[in-house]
Amino acid sequence: MRRAVRAALREDLGRGDLTSIALVAPRAQARAVLRAREPLVLAGLDFAVEAFRLRSPAVRVRPCVRDGESVPAQAVLLEVDGPARALLSAERVALNFVQRLSGIATHTARFVRAVAGTGARILDTRKTTPGWRTFEKYAVRCGGGHNHRFGLHDLILIKDNHLRMLQGASPNPVAAAVARARQRWPGLEVEVEADTLEQVDQALAAGADRILLDNFTLPDLREAVRRVAGRARLEASGGINLDNVRAVAETGVNDISVGALTHSAPAVDIGLDFL
């Protein structure tokens, strides 16, 4: 986090905050609050704290809300006081982190509320901003969602392009892929992406731990749940939005992965108000 904030400050400051240097006396002091301008779920407040502190050790900060909390519009998230130039030069970096990460947490919370009571979990994906994956997946957790694999290294996920590389394998590409993965990486969970109910049957017969049901219709999701009968964890994915996520959850799948949690979450409106 500190490295990311330092890099963001370097990017923004360049050779200095020229406007503040021209207009604000070096010893001027100021007080300000970070305020929510719309209802939101908070994530990333420590990034703002770090931005202000890195600009000056004389800055004092007092968080008023914790990450993961839902707050109404006009709620004060953070109080800060100290050298005015430090506050002004840290403002945009602090806001960029908190607005983006709180936007993800807020968007995730909408999906979590939409499936409440069904038993289905909302998962993120690897569709994240390069370099921000740790931060964005943290924001998903703040919103009540769950993290899918962090990267290519912590779960075997056999996808359609992997299976195309095994065309002609015996007895079928799915079985061959699961067997090879088990042999090479024993102990890791194995998930198979299925495009058809036939592939669901093949993945189940091969002993997959999880089966990803890619762009299945609601009737096919229900049929997959019936066929698997709890013998593997089922994950629905593809085309999931707030209008259909409840119906998907009610088919009985265990998990629903939503790339939009990270790649399409709008930033929330948060401002720094000088007092």
Side-chain angles (χ1 to χ4, degrees), residues 7-42:
L9 287 169
R10 284 196 302 270
E11 176 183 64
D12 203 30
L13 283 165
R15 62 193 180 101
D17 179 1
L18 304 186
T19 307
S20 295
I21 291 170
L23 303 181
V24 180
R27 295 185 180 180
Q29 300 290 301
R31 294 177 57 240
V33 294
L34 205 67
R35 193 188 304 273
R37 292 178 175 166
E38 64 177 293
L40 57 86
V41 177
L42 182 66

Side-chain angles (χ1 to χ4, degrees), residues 148-166:
H148 200 277
R149 60 176 178 166
F150 185 83
L152 297 172
H153 53 84
D154 55 352
L155 173 76
I156 303 298
L157 177 47
I158 300 165
K159 305 191 77 173
D160 53 356
N161 285 334
H162 296 114
L163 296 176
R164 288 191 183 97
M165 300 301 297
L166 294 175

Side-chain angles (χ1 to χ4, degrees), residues 202-262:
Q202 292 171 352
L204 189 63
D209 301 295
R210 307 185 192 183
I211 304 173
L212 190 158
L213 308 171
D214 188 40
N215 285 297
F216 274 41
T217 64
L218 292 176
D220 281 351
L221 286 173
R222 286 190 285 269
E223 175 60 17
V225 170
R226 187 193 69 79
R227 293 187 186 191
V228 172
R231 290 174 288 170
R233 195 165 187 90
L234 292 179
E235 172 189 341
S237 184
I240 308 295
N241 55 54
L242 285 168
D243 293 328
N244 64 18
V245 68
R246 179 79 190 188
V248 171
E250 288 175 344
T251 65
V253 295
N254 307 104
D255 300 312
I256 303 172
S257 55
V258 185
L261 299 183
T262 51

Side-chain angles (χ1 to χ4, degrees), residues 32-35 45 48-49 52 61-64 76-80:
V33 294
L34 205 67
R35 193 188 304 273
L45 193 62
V49 170
F52 289 116
V61 294
R62 188 175 76 84
C64 304
V76 173
L77 310 176
L78 181 73
E79 296 176 351
V80 59

